[in-house]
């Protein structure tokens, strides 16, 4: 089975627009909701209408506003009561013991409850910048999955590719963390996809990766991570992602709808 998952659903209107188009066209069959996204209500309403859509949560611990009161999660908060701006800031604090795991647990459960309170049933979980794979945080995520009946967690076990040499060092680390969380997940009855694709291309998906994912899905479950959306003249703080949402969306539509092999 090929799971084509769109991350960041609910993050912003221009992202929602692209994801909705991709789902309705049949290019995406799974989405991950951002509980602290500014466009969450629209995303939730769409998921409630599309009852067959595989729906999960995209935990976010950087860049956005927290769901929990800032007074309860001091170690996660930077300027203007917002999370730290990117994974680099977060990782440095995490490595020096300045991120309190008990506060991570508070915030992740708050995000999960916010979405579950809408009446949606969640099938899977993943996270922005894959922070759920970090030791300690992974244990919190698995415990929440078990407690709330979430049956699948994302692991990043993509194979290194020389064409994406700059991604090899972080991918090796992600694969190691994924091996650890995958072993724990299986003992807890929580599923993981047999293969993952999308880390190498780093939000710049191409037809070659899509073809590899589709071929592999003939004999095992595969997750393909995607980020469809629409470009906008005012993406705000998302401009630093340097993301071409149009290209991501158009590549998916071309591969699965317009010119499928």
């Amino acid at each position: 089975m090929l799971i084509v998952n769109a991350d960041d659903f609910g993050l912003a209107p221009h992202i929602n627009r692209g994801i909705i188009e991709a789902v309705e066209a049949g290019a995406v069959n799974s989405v991950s909701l951002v509980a602290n996204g500014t466009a969450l209500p629209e995303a939730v309403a769409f998921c409630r209408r599309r009852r067959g859509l595989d729906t999960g949560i995209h935990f976010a611990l950087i860049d956005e506003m927290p769901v929990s009161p800032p007074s309860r999660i001091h170690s996660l908060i930077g300027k203007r009561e917002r999370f730290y701006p990117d994974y680099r800031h977060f990782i440095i604090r995490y490595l020096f013991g300045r991120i309190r795991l008990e506060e991570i647990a508070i915030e992740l459960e708050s995000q999960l409850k916010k979405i579950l309170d809408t009446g949606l049933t969640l099938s899977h979980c993943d996270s922005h910048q894959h922070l759920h794979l970090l030791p300690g945080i992974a244990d919190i995520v698995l415990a929440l999955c078990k407690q709330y009946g979430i049956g699948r967690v994302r692991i990043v076990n993509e194979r290194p590719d020389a064409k994406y040499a700059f991604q090899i060092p972080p991918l090796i680390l992600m694969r190691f963390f994924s091996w650890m969380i995958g072993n724990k997940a299986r003992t807890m009855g929580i599923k993981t996809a047999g293969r993952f694709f999308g880390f190498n291309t780093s939000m710049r998906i191409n037809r070659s990766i899509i073809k590899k994912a589709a071929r592999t899905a003939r004999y095992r479950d595969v997750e393909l991570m995607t980020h469809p959306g629409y470009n906008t003249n005012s993406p705000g703080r998302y401009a630093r992602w340097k993301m071409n949402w149009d290209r991501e969306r158009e590549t998916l539509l071309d591969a699965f709808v317009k010119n499928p092999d």
Side-chain angles (χ1 to χ4, degrees), residues 127-245:
S127 69
H128 192 48
Q129 300 292 329
H130 310 294
L131 294 180
H132 73 288
L133 297 176
L134 291 173
I137 300 177
D139 293 323
I140 293 168
V141 168
L142 290 177
L144 289 172
C145 287
K146 192 69 175 178
Q147 180 179 354
Y148 290 95
I150 297 174
R152 190 177 77 248
V153 64
R154 173 181 290 170
I155 60 172
V156 179
N157 59 358
E158 189 167 5
R159 292 177 179 174
D161 189 328
K163 290 187 294 186
Y164 308 100
F166 67 99
Q167 288 289 76
I168 290 177
L171 178 56
I172 290 172
L173 191 60
M174 290 297 99
R175 283 175 60 91
F176 176 67
F177 291 154
S178 293
W179 172 75
M180 291 195 298
I181 191 175
N183 286 339
K184 291 179 180 178
R186 284 185 286 274
T187 65
M188 298 170 68
I190 299 168
K191 296 180 181 179
T192 61
R195 285 287 302 279
F196 176 87
F197 290 86
F199 187 90
N200 282 327
T201 46
S202 186
M203 298 201 307
R204 292 171 177 81
I205 201 167
N206 57 55
R207 196 174 181 96
S208 174
I209 294 295
I210 293 172
K211 286 183 177 180
K212 287 181 181 179
R215 285 197 301 268
T216 307
R218 295 171 185 167
Y219 56 89
R220 64 174 66 179
D221 287 347
V222 169
E223 180 183 2
L224 174 64
M225 178 181 68
T226 71
H227 298 84
Y230 270 83
N231 289 353
T232 172
N233 292 327
S234 56
R237 64 184 179 278
Y238 305 123
R240 67 175 179 271
W241 292 8
K242 299 180 180 179
M243 176 64 183
N244 189 332
W245 287 280

Side-chain angles (χ1 to χ4, degrees), residues 51 53-56 115-116 118-124 148-150:
R51 294 193 176 274
L53 181 62
D54 186 17
T55 303
I115 293 180
L116 291 175
T118 68
L120 290 175
T121 299
L122 300 180
S123 63
H124 65 272
Y148 290 95
I150 297 174

